[in-house]
Amino acid sequence: MMKKSYVLLLIFIISLPVCAQKILVRGIAKDTTKGRSSMTISINDTIWRYQAIPAHVKEKLGNFDSSAYSTNTDKLGNYEIEARPSDTLYFRKMHYVPQKHSVSDIVKNNIVVQLVPEPCEMFDFCTLQPALDYLIFKGKKISVQYKVDPYYCNTRSLNYGSYECVYEVTEKIYGYFPGDIIKFNAYDHYGAPVFTKEKSAIVVLGNHYGKLRHHPCTFPNITKTAGGKWACAGNPIDSAECADISLKSKPMNFPRTASVDISDFQRSVLEKFQQPYYRIDGHQAVPLQGIYLEEMVAEKIRLNRISRENLN
């Protein structure tokens, strides 16, 4: 039934009256700021509607020749496309408000299309400076939603978007928490962050001038010692995020629950679970050393403060 619906949609968006004859439409389309090209013109918005169809349905529908329904402007903003008088042309360009005009109006009124830019907002570069405060907690996932970054007036987005996360704090590990529900952003170039795939997880956040951002590798292997104190097990400064920390691991007693299942790890990863930091017991790596979390956080904040002073 679902496939039939998409087939009908595709037939609808590309069907054209057989009685109407195509004409060659010529015109000019530019943006109102720099007047550059790279604008896409689509008949009846067919390209965008086709893109909305799920990939597995597209495979069953077969090849779709997009060139028959779209074109681009040249360097001067000129374009030409074959369409019927009853068609509508859609004009699109990234970060500009799209327009649509009927072919009959374009021909009759010699319409010159001028796209205006979308509203933009200023990016706060202070949020890129190293964090001077951290929040670490055990949390239960409430929602995770991907959101495209705003259109910034003063810079281009390097990540294009982030995952807006809402978690319930089930155990406070480090930092001040204004409530039991916390909202933050997580950036990952490879899709949804690993921690969001579980119902609950230990989450590390950096406070960047009031904006909370997930720090996936800053304090690795967080677990409790046998005495109930939080620590980073093994040799945490082996992480790239902690390479500048001068602290050294020391012997600690960890419960069996702190062991790591290494049965599916590759050889390059297994090298991190060797003596004197771990003891291998079958498929389990039992931590023997670590650094207390409070010491790790204090040292990281000290180094971040020096980094900020150097930047300023």
Side-chain angles (χ1 to χ4, degrees):
M1 186 66 182
M2 182 67 70
K3 178 186 174 183
K4 183 181 293 184
S5 299
Y6 282 117
V7 171
L8 292 174
L9 173 62
L10 182 62
I11 293 173
F12 170 76
I13 63 179
I14 67 176
S15 61
L16 299 170
V18 294
C19 58
Q21 186 177 359
K22 285 186 177 181
I23 61 174
L24 183 62
V25 184
R26 291 189 176 95
I28 298 175
K30 297 182 177 181
D31 63 63
T32 57
T33 53
K34 298 180 180 179
R36 294 177 178 174
S37 58
S38 300
M39 189 182 301
T40 301
I41 299 119
S42 174
I43 299 173
N44 300 327
D45 216 19
T46 302
I47 307 303
W48 286 82
R49 295 184 183 185
Y50 179 76
Q51 290 175 351
I53 298 175
H56 69 279
V57 177
K58 290 179 184 177
E59 293 178 0
K60 296 179 180 179
L61 293 176
N63 294 329
F64 174 70
D65 184 11
S66 61
S67 63
Y69 304 97
S70 67
T71 188
N72 294 304
T73 55
D74 63 17
K75 294 180 180 179
L76 299 178
N78 298 303
Y79 70 90
E80 61 179 41
I81 188 170
E82 287 190 349
R84 292 176 170 81
S86 57
D87 288 333
T88 299
L89 298 187
Y90 285 73
F91 300 81
R92 295 182 180 274
K93 184 175 181 179
M94 183 177 291
H95 298 316
Y96 285 82
V97 180
Q99 290 185 23
K100 63 178 181 178
H101 299 278
S102 68
V103 170
S104 57
D105 284 345
I106 294 173
V107 174
K108 179 181 178 180
N109 302 318
N110 196 26
I111 295 175
V112 175
V113 177
Q114 292 184 310
L115 298 187
V116 297
E118 294 177 350
C120 62
E121 61 183 69
M122 300 297 290
F123 178 77
D124 185 2
F125 286 96
C126 290
T127 60
L128 295 180
Q129 294 194 23
L132 294 185
D133 187 21
Y134 289 96
L135 282 72
I136 307 173
F137 63 93
K138 269 188 175 182
K140 183 186 299 182
K141 179 173 64 177
I142 296 177
S143 66
V144 176
Q145 184 175 7
Y146 181 79
K147 184 177 180 181
V148 177
D149 281 347
Y151 174 34
Y152 295 117
C153 312
N154 54 339
T155 187
R156 292 180 62 185
S157 172
L158 297 179
N159 295 288
Y160 300 108
S162 66
Y163 290 85
E164 293 189 339
C165 306
V166 182
Y167 271 65
E168 177 187 357
V169 178
T170 57
E171 184 174 357
K172 300 173 183 178
I173 298 176
Y174 180 91
Y176 169 75
F177 295 81
D180 293 331
I181 304 297
I182 192 163
K183 299 179 181 180
F184 60 93
N185 290 82
Y187 293 86
D188 197 312
H189 296 289
Y190 304 102
V194 176
F195 78 95
T196 64
K197 298 177 181 179
E198 304 293 337
K199 291 182 179 180
S200 60
I202 292 179
V203 181
V204 177
L205 305 179
N207 191 336
H208 300 264
Y209 284 88
K211 292 185 179 295
L212 297 177
R213 189 166 71 235
H214 179 237
H215 285 242
C217 305
T218 303
F219 307 112
N221 310 325
I222 297 176
T223 187
K224 277 185 178 181
T225 65
K229 196 170 182 179
W230 289 100
C232 294
N235 184 26
I237 61 172
D238 187 43
S239 166
E241 289 274 351
C242 303
D244 54 350
I245 292 180
S246 59
L247 301 175
K248 293 184 178 181
S249 292
K250 54 188 177 183
M252 294 181 180
N253 292 321
F254 289 94
R256 186 72 181 178
T257 53
S259 300
V260 180
D261 185 352
I262 59 174
S263 56
D264 295 328
F265 287 0
Q266 297 180 355
R267 181 174 297 179
S268 58
V269 179
L270 290 175
E271 293 176 356
K272 297 182 179 182
F273 295 92
Q274 303 299 322
Q275 293 277 1
Y277 307 108
Y278 286 89
R279 172 176 57 84
I280 304 301
D281 185 4
H283 295 300
Q284 299 291 316
V286 183
L288 302 176
Q289 295 193 17
I291 302 175
Y292 288 120
L293 182 60
E294 286 188 356
E295 297 176 5
M296 288 279 290
V297 175
E299 179 65 4
K300 191 63 178 177
I301 290 176
R302 184 186 72 82
L303 294 171
N304 286 352
R305 184 172 286 110
I306 294 174
S307 178
R308 276 199 184 189
E309 292 172 355
N310 292 336
L311 289 173
N312 297 331

